[in-house]
């Protein structure tokens, strides 16, 4: 079945450093979503990318969808302690109402 | 802001017992989902529900699992005879405009 590979599994950064997590698929994706899960919390939707080569920004977060629609990245500039958590990419199957297939997640720790 | 609610927040049960996990999705949402997350692992899809019936289920969702929408608001996940490996966080989600809103989860511990 559909799988998305996400790397790295863990990332420890000093506050103020940048952070990037990557998702890769062997098949072309119709779209990809990103979620954040704080420690002990639940996944919270961040964004959906649909178009080839799309770049979207939310304050210090930059999301990219690859030209071939097989990979995506989330980049955080100048991390803050509030960025701590696990970031998951997720692929909706069977259209936008279908199940989400989650990547393994990247857990970000930020040292103050 | 409307949110998905789940009860209980934590359920401890003995192996072989039945559990019912409850969810109240956001009121005008039509698609509902259950996911589970074993500690430290990724979120896994269990089942989707639309128009009062299952629209899709994963291989995890075997005969021990069932879902119901007994009234206009609640959405339940029943595990008939729990196993140790059912210990996990169970998240309910509901959908609007391609965005799935997750509830806070129920931590199920099977002893």
């Amino acid at each position: 079945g559909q799988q998305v590979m996400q790397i790295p599994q863990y990332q420890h950064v000093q506050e103020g450093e940048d952070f990037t997590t990557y998702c890769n698929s062997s098949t072309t994706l119709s779209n990809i979503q990103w979620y954040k899960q704080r420690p002990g919390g639940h996944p919270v939707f961040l964004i959906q990318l649909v178009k080839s080569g799309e770049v979207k920004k939310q304050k210090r977060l930059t999301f990219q969808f690859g030209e071939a629609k097989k990979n995506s990245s989330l980049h955080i500039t100048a991390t803050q302690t509030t960025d701590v958590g696990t970031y998951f990419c997720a692929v909706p199957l069977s259209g936008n109402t279908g199940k989400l297939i989650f990547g393994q997640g990247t857990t970000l720790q930020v040292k103050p | 802001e409307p949110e998905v609610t789940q009860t209980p927040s934590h359920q401890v049960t003995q192996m072989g017992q039945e559990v019912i996990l409850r969810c109240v999705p956001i009121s005008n949402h039509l698609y509902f989902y259950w996911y589970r997350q074993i500690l430290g692992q990724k979120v896994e899809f269990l089942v989707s529900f639309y128009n009062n019936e299952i629209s899709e289920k994963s291989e995890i969702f075997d005969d021990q699992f069932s879902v119901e929408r007994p009234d206009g608001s609640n959405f339940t996940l029943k595990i008939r005879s729990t196993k140790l490996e059912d210990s996990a966080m169970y998240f309910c989600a509901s959908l609007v405009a391609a965005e799935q809103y997750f509830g806070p989860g129920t931590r199920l511990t099977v002893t």
Side-chain angles (χ1 to χ4, degrees), chain A residues 54-69:
Chain A
E54 188 169 18
V55 177
K56 286 189 177 179
K57 294 195 177 202
Q58 290 178 353
K59 296 183 181 177
R60 293 177 295 103
L61 276 60
T62 302
F63 303 85
Q64 289 192 317
F65 202 9
E67 293 288 343
K69 299 181 75 172

Side-chain angles (χ1 to χ4, degrees), chain A residues 38-77:
Chain A
R38 293 184 188 277
H42 58 278
V44 175
F45 176 85
L46 294 176
I47 208 157
Q48 176 168 278
L49 304 172
V50 178
K51 298 177 188 172
S52 167
E54 188 169 18
V55 177
K56 286 189 177 179
K57 294 195 177 202
Q58 290 178 353
K59 296 183 181 177
R60 293 177 295 103
L61 276 60
T62 302
F63 303 85
Q64 289 192 317
F65 202 9
E67 293 288 343
K69 299 181 75 172
K70 288 185 176 183
N71 57 74
S72 181
S73 64
L74 158 58
H75 179 83
I76 304 178
T77 305

Side-chain angles (χ1 to χ4, degrees), chain A residues 3-4 9-10 33 35 37 40-45 48 86 88 92-94 96-105, chain B residues 31 33 35 37 40-45 48 55-59 89 91 95 97-105 107:
Chain A
Q3 285 196 9
V4 281
Q9 189 175 1
Y10 298 100
Q33 298 182 359
Y35 287 77
Q37 185 177 27
H42 58 278
V44 175
F45 176 85
Q48 176 168 278
T86 301
F88 292 96
L93 295 189
S94 310
N96 279 337
T97 57
K99 64 184 181 186
L100 286 175
I101 302 299
F102 281 79
Q104 295 93 325
Chain B
Y31 293 85
Y33 309 84
Y35 293 84
Q37 185 178 34
Q41 297 187 22
K42 67 178 180 179
V43 179
E44 298 176 289
F45 169 80
S48 57
S55 50
E56 195 169 4
K57 58 185 180 180
S58 73
E59 57 273 11
M89 280 293 285
F91 293 107
L95 174 82
E99 179 179 338
Q100 293 195 19
Y101 288 78
F102 284 76
R107 178 167 299 284

Side-chain angles (χ1 to χ4, degrees), chain B residues 17-36:
Chain B
Q17 295 295 305
E18 174 183 288
V19 293
I20 298 176
L21 310 183
R22 302 178 195 281
C23 168
V24 179
I26 297 172
S27 61
N28 60 339
H29 291 190
L30 300 177
Y31 293 85
F32 313 117
Y33 309 84
W34 283 101
Y35 293 84
R36 78 170 187 191

Side-chain angles (χ1 to χ4, degrees), chain B residues 71-86:
Chain B
D71 53 43
S73 58
N74 290 285
F75 179 47
T76 63
L77 174 69
K78 181 194 289 187
I79 309 175
R80 267 180 266 283
S81 177
T82 49
K83 303 188 278 278
L84 294 176
E85 53 265 37
D86 293 327

